[in-house]
Amino acid sequence: MKLTDIRLLLVTFIAQVCLSLTPIADWCGPSVAYVQAKALLFSGVLLMIGLIVLVAFYKHTAAVVGNRVPKLQWAPLYNYFFIAKPLELLWRFATSPLRCLPDVLVVGEVRCGTTTLSEHLKSLPGVYGPFCPFVHPLDGKESFYFAGTYFGCVHPYLYRAVFPFKITKWFYEHVLGQPFLVMDACAQYLTSPIAPALMRKALGARDISIFVCLRDPVDQNRSWWQFEQASMAWFDSMGLSRSTTGGLEYMRMQYPPATLLDAHALSLSNNVCAWYNEAEQLSVKMASGAVSPWTKVPNKYLTWPNGQLSSFAHNGCFSRNLHRWFKW
């Protein structure tokens, strides 16, 4: 299992505490002991910050990705300790100005072969994927940035946080003479009402390649239903029990639907369609500056309006979804 940053820091902190209990000052002198104490303090502060970010990330993603009431329980927090990367997330946001933007986008749709395509692209010389906040099979494929996974922040400028440093790209291209293409293959983006306007704002006038994968919509929706059932079972295994007493009414309506037909009907409902329109209008205002781009996107619009199981009538409408992208 991959060692996440927060786990590595905890191991380092414990080792430093054990070392501090030894008579190091007698062996190496007070100056070494002073440095050791400073290092222990730094690790302790960093660990505390990491844990705070981890809890905040858990509460946000449990709600918008897992569609669960994010209670502070030991089991899910313990499991998040093994899959989340809170320190790298902070580091990447802090170093956003130093990072590049993508050259290639695979924008969807879900269950249409985007993973196969992205794996093929990454097998080519000089193609690199984005950061993913989870240790997950999709790590290195999808950033999930404009899906609102990063605390609901979708500021266009900070999109570059999920990509490599500019100097790394420059070094490969101008010193080593090797290609260095950066890609993001988030399959939710084509259907997303939020992504197109903000993506255009983030990329500006850059000339990039955008790939779209299509599939028979009936087969796509069947596959998406099966995928989401497995996803819900995965969150169950994390200790995030499904709410039976409510708590998500502010962000989910009639959720989760019991059957695929119920899910399709829900996605066609006036309320869900209204949320799709509202989310698109919000993104346009954020991209134009009419609304601050620092605005946190309401959870009801994430990762799609009313959740992943309310997307069935919106997935597979390829011409409509492509038109939303062509507008920008």
Side-chain angles (χ1 to χ4, degrees):
M1 181 180 292
K2 184 177 179 180
L3 192 63
T4 57
D5 51 27
I6 191 71
R7 290 170 61 206
L8 179 61
L9 181 59
L10 179 62
V11 171
T12 302
F13 180 73
I14 293 174
Q16 288 177 317
V17 170
C18 293
L19 187 61
S20 69
L21 299 177
T22 63
I24 191 169
D26 296 338
W27 300 343
C28 304
S31 60
V32 174
Y34 175 79
V35 172
Q36 181 193 38
K38 290 292 185 181
L40 181 61
L41 177 62
F42 175 79
S43 297
V45 171
L46 194 59
L47 179 61
M48 184 61 65
I49 293 172
L51 290 174
I52 292 172
V53 175
L54 177 68
V55 172
F57 185 72
Y58 153 72
K59 293 187 68 176
H60 178 71
T61 55
V64 303
V65 181
N67 304 292
R68 314 296 170 98
V69 178
K71 299 178 181 178
L72 291 179
Q73 298 172 316
W74 166 250
L77 281 171
Y78 174 79
N79 283 302
Y80 261 68
F81 197 72
F82 287 84
I83 65 168
K85 310 172 187 175
L87 294 173
E88 184 175 359
L89 193 156
L90 284 179
W91 167 248
R92 285 179 168 274
F93 273 126
T95 56
S96 293
L98 306 177
R99 297 182 179 274
C100 61
L101 287 165
D103 305 288
V104 178
L105 292 176
V106 180
V107 297
E109 282 188 3
V110 295
R111 313 309 293 164
C112 289
T114 58
T115 300
T116 301
L117 175 59
S118 67
E119 288 301 319
H120 171 68
L121 291 174
K122 287 198 299 180
S123 70
L124 301 176
V127 179
Y128 300 89
F131 166 76
C132 176
F134 299 101
V135 176
H136 189 276
L138 299 179
D139 195 353
K141 177 209 172 191
E142 307 192 32
S143 69
F144 300 105
Y145 181 76
F146 287 116
T149 305
Y150 300 74
F151 309 106
C153 173
V154 291
H155 194 297
Y157 185 81
L158 294 180
Y159 181 43
R160 63 190 67 224
V162 301
F163 300 112
F165 285 110
K166 295 176 184 176
I167 193 170
T168 304
K169 183 178 177 67
W170 176 88
F171 182 79
Y172 271 79
E173 292 179 340
H174 297 281
V175 178
L176 300 182
Q178 298 178 8
F180 194 96
L181 296 175
V182 183
M183 58 161 270
D184 189 8
C186 190
Q188 297 189 25
Y189 285 171
L190 187 62
T191 307
S192 169
I194 293 175
L198 294 173
M199 183 71 78
R200 169 48 62 195
K201 181 66 175 179
L203 299 178
R206 288 174 57 85
D207 184 16
I208 66 170
S209 299
I210 299 179
F211 292 86
V212 175
C213 299
L214 309 181
R215 182 181 183 180
D216 179 87
V218 175
D219 293 337
Q220 178 193 15
N221 275 344
R222 286 173 178 165
S223 180
W224 183 239
W225 174 261
Q226 294 170 353
F227 180 87
E228 280 302 308
Q229 297 309 301
S231 177
M232 288 194 294
W234 182 70
F235 276 99
D236 290 341
S237 70
M238 294 268 290
L240 278 161
S241 58
R242 305 182 195 188
S243 175
T244 58
T245 58
L248 291 178
E249 292 85 357
Y250 73 101
M251 56 173 281
R252 296 291 182 261
M253 298 176 289
Q254 304 171 32
Y255 205 94
T259 67
L260 175 54
L261 291 178
D262 291 337
H264 190 268
L266 175 62
S267 65
L268 283 171
S269 68
N270 291 334
N271 287 332
V272 170
C273 291
W275 280 9
Y276 266 82
N277 290 330
E278 291 171 13
E280 181 175 1
Q281 292 306 311
L282 175 62
S283 71
V284 171
K285 291 177 181 178
M286 292 172 70
S288 67
V291 172
S292 171
W294 291 105
T295 300
K296 179 186 182 299
V297 178
N299 285 356
K300 65 181 181 179
Y301 301 145
L302 304 175
T303 55
W304 281 324
N306 204 50
Q308 298 90 319
L309 291 177
S310 297
S311 64
F312 290 94
H314 304 274
N315 291 328
C317 297
F318 301 122
S319 61
R320 184 178 66 192
N321 292 337
L322 284 169
H323 177 71
R324 187 188 300 116
W325 278 79
F326 289 151
K327 288 193 300 184
W328 305 102

